[in-house]
Amino acid sequence: MSMRPKTKRRLVVLVSVVVLLAAVVTALVVMQNRRNEAKIQGYRATGLSKYEAGDYEGALQPLSKYITARQDDPEVRYAFAVSRSKVAEPSGNYLFEAIQHLEFYVQKRPDDVKAKRLLLELYNSVQRNTEAIALADAILGKAPEDPDAMRYKAMSLYRLRKFDEALAVAEKLNAVAPLDLAGQRLTYELMFNLRKPVDEVLKRAAKQREANAGDPRFELLQAYAHMYANQADEAEKWLDTAAGHVGGEVETVQLLSSLYDQLQKFDKGQKVLEKAADATDDIRL
């Protein structure tokens, strides 16, 4: 049956209107998608700019909004992880959030040793000991003398009460980084937990002090050894010696003050802090 000309014209008009509406809708969708994409990329640019400027708190919101839309972006996930780890919250959950994003980044960028060290530090902060040991071993497999990996591995083994294994790692750390006070102190703590003979501990401390004459770090360790031996007077003597040599080194000052406090010599500990505060602008003192 043939279609009347008038009907044909109506169909042509109808089809034309439908096509035009479809084109308009498509154009509107494309425009909206472009606006959305521009907005998303704006979050990325703003967040990375603030991150690179050290404005970690300011970086969190735009980076978070970007990640909500684009999760598979290693650079942004790393920037968010670092920023999140720098902006503390009372609950401590911010560290777990940082770990989650950093784990993603490390999976995507397995050769980034700097990121692995940061992840190792975060594992240590939340005492995820098993993960820390595994990651430390991975780092040490490629860099056998990496001091950070050795330190965090030894600390994790310590917390798991694997004192013998921890001591072996700590002693390797001492050989690689002999001036690392935290590493040296860790070794002594492990020796104490393993109930090493007092003479062995004192001889070790004396040998190190004599090899580093005038260094307050090793005078502190000598005092620490005497405290283990229950020789309070000798311990105080070496703390006083260290106090005469110490400057504004934060870690050394903090340990010196802490050991004075353990001997209940609170006035001496306070004087050490006040002296160091005058010698440095470090806010930790």
Side-chain angles (χ1 to χ4, degrees), residues 40-219:
I40 291 169
Q41 293 303 321
Y43 291 142
R44 187 181 195 278
T46 300
L48 289 178
S49 176
K50 289 182 178 295
Y51 161 73
E52 290 167 1
D55 181 6
Y56 300 116
E57 186 171 4
L60 285 174
Q61 186 177 42
L63 290 178
S64 178
K65 288 182 177 179
Y66 176 81
I67 291 169
T68 299
R70 300 283 187 274
Q71 295 185 3
D72 196 18
D73 188 328
E75 181 183 2
V76 172
R77 296 288 289 272
Y78 178 80
F80 183 86
V82 174
S83 299
R84 180 71 280 179
S85 71
K86 299 287 187 181
V87 182
E89 293 179 346
S91 67
N93 290 334
Y94 71 101
L95 292 174
F96 293 99
E97 189 176 3
I99 286 171
Q100 176 187 355
H101 289 274
L102 199 53
E103 286 177 333
F104 171 87
Y105 176 82
V106 168
Q107 289 176 354
K108 296 291 185 179
R109 300 286 189 271
D111 294 328
D112 191 333
V113 178
K114 179 181 177 182
K116 286 184 175 180
R117 287 197 186 102
L118 176 57
L119 181 56
L120 191 55
E121 180 182 344
L122 294 177
Y123 280 155
N124 179 70
S125 297
V126 299
Q127 298 190 19
R128 286 177 59 172
N129 301 311
T130 302
E131 292 92 333
I133 292 168
L135 182 54
D137 283 338
I139 294 172
L140 292 169
K142 294 185 176 181
E145 295 188 348
D146 187 294
D148 291 328
M150 284 190 279
R151 180 182 305 105
Y152 290 125
K153 180 178 180 178
M155 292 171 68
S156 296
L157 288 167
Y158 184 7
R159 283 193 291 265
L160 293 174
R161 302 189 66 78
K162 297 181 178 181
F163 299 135
D164 284 312
E165 293 179 53
L167 181 59
V169 177
E171 288 177 334
K172 289 181 181 178
L173 170 61
N174 298 157
V176 170
L179 300 182
D180 182 336
L181 180 59
Q184 293 286 356
R185 183 183 182 186
L186 176 60
T187 296
Y188 281 98
E189 289 180 2
L190 289 163
M191 293 179 76
F192 300 164
N193 277 278
L194 287 167
R195 301 185 184 281
K196 294 291 185 179
V198 169
D199 287 347
E200 179 183 339
V201 175
L202 290 175
K203 285 179 180 178
R204 184 182 194 276
K207 182 178 179 180
Q208 289 184 309
R209 175 180 52 76
E210 290 166 2
N212 298 273
D215 189 325
R217 289 169 292 191
F218 293 94
E219 292 161 351

Side-chain angles (χ1 to χ4, degrees), residues 227-248:
M227 290 173 69
Y228 172 63
N230 291 317
Q231 298 171 354
D233 290 342
E234 283 295 307
E236 184 179 0
K237 182 189 80 173
W238 284 111
L239 289 181
D240 292 344
T241 302
H245 293 149
V246 76

